[in-house]
Amino acid sequence: MFNSLYGTITAKLPQTIYLETDGIEWDIAVPDTTLDTLPPVGERARVYTWLYHREDAVKLFGFATAADRLLFLDLLKVDGVGAKGALKIMSGIAPRQLVEALDSEDLSQLERLPGVGKKTAQKMMLTLKGKLALSADSGRGSVQRSPSAAKWQDVITALADMGYDKKVCEETIDRLEPILAAELDGKNKATQEELMFRRAIVELA
C-alpha cells in the first residue's frame, strides 16, 4: 500500500484537493487544516494518504504530514466517529488546540466542533486524553507518537483489541524495545512484531 503521493496540485475545493501524478489526477479528501498548509494550485506537494475501502465505497484521504494522519487514525478509534466525522473534526480545530482541549478536559470546546455533541466529546476524552503528544519543533502544532509507538502500531492495536489499556501497551513496548534489540536485529518485520507481541503479552499478564 502507498504511504504518500507526490505531484502537482491541480485544484483546491472544500475539504478536497486534486493531485496529478504522472498523468493520473487523484481526488483526495482532506481536512481544511491541510488545505491551508499545502502550497497553492500549480505547485508540487507531498500528501500522506489513507485509503478508506468498504464494499460500497472507496475514498482516498490525505494529510499534510504523517503526524496529522496519525491523529486522524486515532480519531477513528473513538466510538461514533467515522472517517467523514474525523475529517470534520480536524477541519474545525488545529492539532495543538485539540490536544490542549483533551488535556484540560475542556468538553465545551470539543462540543463546539462540527458533528461533535456532548456524548461524542465525552468519548473523545475517554479514548484520547493523555495519549497524544505535541511535536516540540512544529510551529503548526502537529501531533505525533513516540518513535516506538509508531513503529509498533500494529502490535499495540492488537494488544488493545484484547482489552489492554492502549497507553499501558505503548509504555510496555517502549520499555521492551531496547531489551529485545539484539533478538530483533536482522529479522523481518513480521517476525519482529510476533516476538514483540509475545513478550508484551507476558509483561502485561
Side-chain angles (χ1 to χ4, degrees):
M1 182 57 63
F2 44 84
N3 175 61
S4 65
L5 295 171
Y6 182 75
T8 302
I9 298 175
T10 55
K12 280 187 173 185
L13 306 171
Q15 295 187 10
T16 302
I17 65 164
Y18 293 162
L19 187 76
E20 183 178 348
T21 62
D22 298 323
I24 300 174
E25 188 175 52
W26 302 85
D27 179 344
I28 307 174
V30 299
D32 289 337
T33 48
T34 289
L35 276 177
D36 295 338
T37 302
L38 291 174
V41 172
E43 294 192 14
R44 296 177 67 79
R46 181 173 301 281
V47 179
Y48 293 85
T49 56
W50 180 78
L51 181 65
Y52 176 92
H53 186 204
R54 296 292 184 272
E55 291 183 0
D56 59 343
V58 176
K59 185 66 178 177
L60 192 62
F61 290 79
F63 308 91
T65 68
D68 288 351
R69 179 176 58 189
L70 285 176
L71 174 59
F72 173 83
L73 295 175
D74 278 334
L75 286 170
L76 294 184
K77 298 173 185 176
V78 179
D79 185 28
V81 176
K84 291 182 179 180
L87 203 70
K88 289 181 180 179
I89 290 171
M90 292 185 67
S91 293
I93 189 170
R96 180 178 296 277
Q97 293 175 320
L98 176 57
V99 174
E100 290 174 350
L102 289 167
D103 287 345
S104 62
E105 299 186 2
D106 188 350
L107 283 172
S108 62
Q109 183 172 6
L110 296 178
E111 291 172 16
R112 290 195 296 269
L113 295 173
V116 177
K118 184 176 182 179
K119 289 185 178 180
T120 301
Q122 291 173 338
K123 291 176 182 178
M124 289 174 62
M125 190 74 66
L126 180 64
T127 305
L128 302 177
K129 182 178 182 294
K131 298 178 182 178
L132 301 174
L134 285 173
S135 171
D137 59 355
S138 175
R140 202 168 60 87
S142 290
V143 177
Q144 64 178 12
R145 296 188 187 91
S146 69
S148 293
K151 178 180 178 181
W152 301 103
Q153 184 55 43
D154 289 344
V155 175
I156 293 168
T157 299
L159 292 168
D161 288 344
M162 294 176 65
Y164 294 107
D165 181 84
K166 182 172 178 287
K167 184 66 174 178
V168 174
C169 293
E170 292 177 352
E171 293 171 351
T172 301
I173 296 295
D174 282 338
R175 187 173 67 254
L176 287 176
E177 188 170 35
I179 297 173
L180 298 177
E183 188 175 354
L184 296 172
D185 186 44
K187 293 182 172 60
N188 61 42
K189 182 180 179 182
T191 301
Q192 289 181 341
E193 289 181 341
E194 182 179 359
L195 289 170
M196 180 63 77
F197 179 80
R198 290 181 177 179
R199 182 60 180 272
I201 285 289
V202 173
E203 292 292 319
L204 291 167

